[in-house]
Amino acid sequence: MSEAVRILSRLTTLAEAHPAIRGMLLIGSHARRDTPADRSSDIDIVVITTDPPTYLADDWLNDLAPAILSIVEKAAVGEAKERRLLLGSGQDLDIVPISLEQFQSALVSGKIGEVHDILARGMRWLVDKDGLASRLPKMNESRPSIPTAGDLDDVVQDFWFHAVWTAKKLRRGEIWVAMGCCDGYLKKLLLRAIEWHARTLYGLDHDTWFRGRFVERWASPAVVDRLATVYATYDQASLESALLRTTELFDDLAEDIAQNLSLPLPVNKSRQAKAIMMKILAGERLDAPGDAHLSAP
């Protein structure tokens, strides 16, 4: 019997013995059909309970297995908090305790997005004391979206605004802050472009997963090759190079998306923003007519 199977068996027994736990749902890699769990996969559990705060604590898990580390943080999706434990065996366990009302709301509200995507890939009821499974919406595979003209315009402007902002921080010598934006926020927008690009290449039904999971498998191979150049080490030259490569890749993807979907692209805005970024990186003053108000702080 594997460690994961032993833990799930003990969790089921614990849940059955606690009247406040009305349901326990296994999600994530141990429940999904495509790309199932391996030895390094964590165990993701949703506990549906009449008393979420009690089950966010970890004392009810004392008999489960020795825990080396135990922390609380915001759940990966949705608004709930989760208890994360690293067990003595090296297995990590994530438990999200929520009320039935919270669970139903997450499924039917406008925030369904990633919650639906995760559950649609696979879920398994370990405990269901009240027939909850039959009362919840059916989880159909979600249909990925492609951008409208407004979506593409918003992302392009957001990307370039923060590219210029990153250049200002970098030129000032704030490497930590600049790196956080270049390899953080800008990469989130780049990922959105990579997802859209993949769907325009391979079809709307092409599975782009979520939050970059398995991007090496579903993105264009040419795009994956270029990802090797868009991350920085902690020095100014490396970060400047990463910023330039990130903006180049984003621009190429945006052009392909616009062309493939026959959407307008705010090319002039991108070019103006890029010119400002390049001036900042070159150490030039931004005091020419028309851009004095954009001077680097």
Side-chain angles (χ1 to χ4, degrees), residues 54-76:
T54 292
Y55 293 95
L56 185 62
D58 58 7
D59 52 352
W60 70 283
L61 297 167
N62 288 339
D63 295 332
L64 178 65
I68 297 173
L69 304 173
S70 178
I71 62 173
V72 172
E73 62 183 33
K74 185 180 179 298

Side-chain angles (χ1 to χ4, degrees), residues 73-80 82 84 111 113-115 117-118 121 187-188 190-192 194-195 199 207-216 218 231:
E73 62 183 33
K74 185 180 179 298
V77 297
E79 302 301 323
E82 66 179 336
R84 310 195 70 184
K111 299 178 180 179
E114 291 181 338
V115 175
D117 290 346
I118 291 172
R121 291 183 184 279
K187 292 305 189 291
K188 290 181 181 179
L190 178 63
L191 176 60
R192 195 173 310 171
I194 294 171
E195 292 169 347
R199 293 174 203 148
D207 189 358
T208 55
W209 282 77
F210 56 93
R211 295 191 177 183
R213 296 296 304 272
F214 306 110
V215 65
E216 298 82 6
W218 54 257
Y231 285 91

Side-chain angles (χ1 to χ4, degrees), residues 218-234:
W218 54 257
S220 159
V223 170
V224 174
D225 287 345
R226 292 177 69 177
L227 292 180
T229 70
V230 301
Y231 285 91
T233 56
Y234 195 80

